[in-house]
Amino acid sequence: MASDGVLIALGGNAFAPPGERLSHAGQQAFALATARALLPLLRAASRALLVHGNGPQVGEMLTRVEVAGDRAYALPLDACVAAVDGELGYDLSQALYNVLRAAGDRREICSVLTQVEIDPQDPAFALPDKPVGRFHAAHDVAALRAQGQTLVEDAGRGYRRVVPSPKPQAVIERDVIARLVAAGVLVIAGGGGGIPVQRRAGLLVGVEAVVDKDHTSALLADALDLTLLVLLTDVAAAFTDHGTAAAREIRAATPAQLEALTAAGHFAPGSMLPKITAASAFAGQPGRRAIICSPDNLDAALAGEAGTTVRLAAGSGP
Ligand code: ADP
Ligand code: MG
């Protein structure tokens, strides 16, 4: 399983097991379990970077801002992403510190708040479609729309705010992240896909949007010239005909094979498709491998016996 450079992306659900109410203690327990599951891979990698999702936590932060009303200052969405990344970065660094030290590993750990530049012309801005935050009653919708929010009705469950999910173009802190990783520091970066920013008259400003962490992970893994990209999620692998009786795990595939399966509509946009796109983009160069699996089958997936492995050709890559 040795790898000289690995990026591990943790699904947002990694902190929030389905059906369980979020709590800070629950997140810390989950961060600890994740750190333990990652220990063998981290010990085998001389360079390692962790990226995590944050969707459910950002939803709760938006609710806090809303419920506080004018009793505490409001935070725009980009600042909510930053605040949650601080919290989850803290949980993860502490859990990794405790697990690594217990294993006699003294490597340094550092969480880097990360801004990602997006293109204001990205087609996502014309079509906000990423639901964030809680459900709202119909009588609250007019006031929220007056604040400039886009709300859509969600399958009879109420109204939800939707925001654009543009593609990340560049990671502002890329060079410092690269220096830390090269120095052997275990870095946590790109939390929640990063804080979306754009350039206006040459200056960075925050944008009310969210970025999919799978795309940011591919961008960072490529920029740092890592050899292994692991996308951990809540399903065992990518499936064809997912959710039907005909569903089958994809054990190994090339980017070209995944492109054909994508064209045939096998991957849901907003969930599995970003992973497939990210894995294919990263593994499109020789000597690289991308894996989509769940934390509990990670070891088997690294051995090619579980999960989905993507590389240029069978037998190529690390
Ligand atoms: P994460 O937080 O890990 O990014 P997502 O919800 O974004 O989680 O993506 C994982 C989800 O993708 C799975 O829970 C599954 O329901 C969904 N999914 C959609 N299409 C597929 C597919 N073809 N194979 C496997 N899972 C799929
Ligand atoms: Mg996702």
Side-chain angles (χ1 to χ4, degrees):
M1 82 161 51
S3 154
D4 76 329
V6 60
L7 188 152
I8 305 161
L10 306 170
N13 295 327
F15 288 102
E20 233 175 73
R21 221 182 125 48
L22 290 182
S23 72
H24 189 247
Q27 267 161 218
Q28 288 185 305
F30 219 89
L32 199 59
T34 303
R36 289 197 181 111
L38 296 182
L39 184 64
L41 179 56
L42 292 176
R43 301 228 49 195
S46 54
R47 296 186 297 146
L49 176 59
L50 289 187
V51 172
H52 59 81
N54 69 4
Q57 292 78 12
V58 167
E60 300 260 319
M61 184 60 83
L62 287 168
T63 302
R64 262 179 224 125
V65 169
E66 220 177 273
V67 170
D70 55 11
R71 298 190 58 189
Y73 61 85
L75 293 174
L77 181 55
D78 49 307
C80 287
V81 172
V84 163
D85 285 354
E87 176 194 354
L88 297 180
Y90 157 61
D91 292 340
L92 268 178
S93 357
Q94 190 176 70
L96 289 162
Y97 182 98
N98 288 339
V99 167
L100 286 169
R101 291 299 182 274
D105 189 322
R106 304 202 58 79
R107 93 181 63 181
E108 294 175 291
I109 301 155
C110 180
S111 179
V112 179
L113 269 187
T114 308
Q115 304 172 82
V116 289
E117 189 172 350
I118 51 92
D119 177 0
Q121 306 302 326
D122 192 295
F125 286 98
L127 209 93
D129 63 352
K130 180 81 186 171
V132 291
R134 63 186 184 96
F135 288 95
H136 299 279
H139 56 78
D140 291 331
V141 168
L144 293 166
R145 284 192 174 137
Q147 290 171 18
Q149 297 189 12
T150 307
L151 284 107
V152 296
E153 218 271 316
D154 188 325
R157 294 187 291 174
Y159 288 81
R160 255 183 121 185
R161 181 178 180 190
V162 285
V163 297
S165 184
K167 287 263 169 61
Q169 304 294 325
V171 175
I172 302 297
E173 290 79 9
R174 183 194 68 183
D175 292 347
V176 68
I177 292 169
R179 283 205 298 278
L180 287 168
V181 170
V185 176
L186 172 53
V187 178
I188 300 155
I195 306 154
V197 297
Q198 68 176 69
R199 279 179 208 274
R200 210 179 283 151
L203 302 176
L204 296 180
V205 289
V207 179
E208 298 232 24
V210 292
V211 174
D212 197 296
K213 59 113 181 45
D214 298 323
H215 295 312
T216 303
S217 297
L219 201 62
L220 276 169
D222 179 65
L224 272 61
D225 206 20
L226 305 177
T227 51
L228 177 60
L229 172 65
V230 179
L231 302 169
L232 290 180
T233 184
D234 59 355
V235 280
F239 288 79
T240 51
D241 299 305
H242 177 67
T244 74
R248 288 199 55 184
E249 280 191 19
I250 304 167
R251 179 66 65 246
T254 63
Q257 287 169 330
L258 290 180
E259 205 178 313
L261 292 172
T262 298
H266 285 281
F267 310 117
S271 59
M272 188 46 69
L273 187 56
K275 296 182 204 309
I276 295 291
T277 313
S280 300
F282 176 73
Q285 287 186 35
R288 292 177 173 184
R289 173 168 62 133
I291 293 176
I292 300 167
C293 67
S294 56
D296 54 307
N297 72 10
L298 174 61
D299 291 342
L302 288 165
E305 287 152 12
T308 299
T309 294
V310 187
R311 51 182 148 200
L312 263 189
S316 76

